[in-house]
Amino acid sequence: MTWDWGAVRNFLPHLWDGLLVTLQALVLGSVISFVLGLVWALLMRAPTRWVRWPVGVVTEFVRDTPLLVQLFFLFYVLPEWGLTLSALTTGVLALGLHYSTYTMQVYRAGIEAVPAGQWEAATALNLPRRRTWTAVILPQAVRRVVPALGNYVISMLKDTPLLMAITVLEMLGQARLFSQQHFQFTEPLTVIGVAFVLVSYLASLLLRALERRLVR
């Protein structure tokens, strides 16, 4: 078997289209997971168990079921309830929801790592509860958890090929389509493997730069 550079050149436009979809799903899914994970973490600190208990059940259920099952549920079941979303929107929501249950635990650890003296100082200054969270606790907690959040961004990137199962043409979807049309599998699959390595590496560099900036 010989390596066909012509197949690589022909696949590159498809790779670019798939890369744009992959990055879109990654960025939007990460934003949802970061925001929703923080909401879950704050609700788990609610003073009443009638808030904590449902949140705990929902997040545990989402965390303990496969992402692929959640993708199929959102894509095929929601339309039966009258809610029809595009394949990409469904994939973004599934990624964000699934990973929010993990970022929730990261936020909880960061909040609990804030020294007790910070809470006491805020109380001594008679700061309102909202001001205590936004100006004292959360800035310190988020700074501590950036590395862990970054790890989940990389994990989410490696899970984006699952979106192919609901017809999203991300990088693997484009490679599969190209391979089926041209009966060439080695070149496109090798190229997307290299592409994932490069994107993961660049993402890790950006996250480390962000971490160093926040530590200053």
Side-chain angles (χ1 to χ4, degrees), residues 29-45 96 99-114 119 133 137-150 152-153 214:
S30 296
V31 170
I32 293 174
S33 70
F34 293 164
V35 174
L36 190 56
L38 180 59
V39 172
W40 294 140
L42 294 177
L43 289 176
M44 287 298 291
R45 295 183 64 89
Y99 276 91
S100 71
T101 61
Y102 294 97
T103 58
M104 175 194 73
Q105 300 294 347
V106 174
Y107 284 124
R108 287 181 64 183
I111 292 171
E112 292 173 359
V114 175
W119 296 90
W133 278 103
I137 304 303
L138 288 181
Q140 297 183 64
V142 171
R143 188 179 297 115
R144 295 170 184 268
V145 302
V146 166
L149 292 177
Y152 284 119
V153 172
L214 291 175

Side-chain angles (χ1 to χ4, degrees), residues 58-137:
V58 169
T59 55
E60 190 68 26
F61 177 81
V62 172
R63 187 164 53 246
D64 292 343
T65 53
L67 175 57
L68 186 58
V69 173
Q70 296 165 18
L71 282 167
F72 281 159
F73 182 88
L74 293 176
F75 190 66
Y76 293 108
V77 176
L78 288 186
E80 296 183 2
W81 296 349
L83 182 58
T84 302
L85 303 173
S86 70
L88 180 58
T89 301
T90 302
V92 167
L93 290 177
L95 286 171
L97 176 62
H98 185 80
Y99 276 91
S100 71
T101 61
Y102 294 97
T103 58
M104 175 194 73
Q105 300 294 347
V106 174
Y107 284 124
R108 287 181 64 183
I111 292 171
E112 292 173 359
V114 175
Q118 299 294 313
W119 296 90
E120 296 168 357
T123 302
L125 293 172
N126 199 29
L127 292 179
R129 185 173 181 82
R130 178 179 297 181
R131 179 72 173 169
T132 299
W133 278 103
T134 58
V136 180
I137 304 303

Side-chain angles (χ1 to χ4, degrees), residues 172-212:
L172 182 59
Q174 290 285 359
R176 181 185 180 187
L177 182 62
F178 181 88
S179 299
Q180 291 174 340
Q181 291 175 342
H182 297 85
F183 302 100
Q184 294 173 304
F185 294 88
T186 301
E187 291 83 4
L189 291 175
T190 302
V191 168
I192 67 161
V194 174
F196 269 109
V197 171
L198 293 176
V199 174
S200 297
Y201 180 68
L202 291 175
S204 65
L205 291 180
L206 290 174
L207 291 167
R208 282 201 291 268
L210 176 62
E211 180 185 353
R212 288 193 298 269

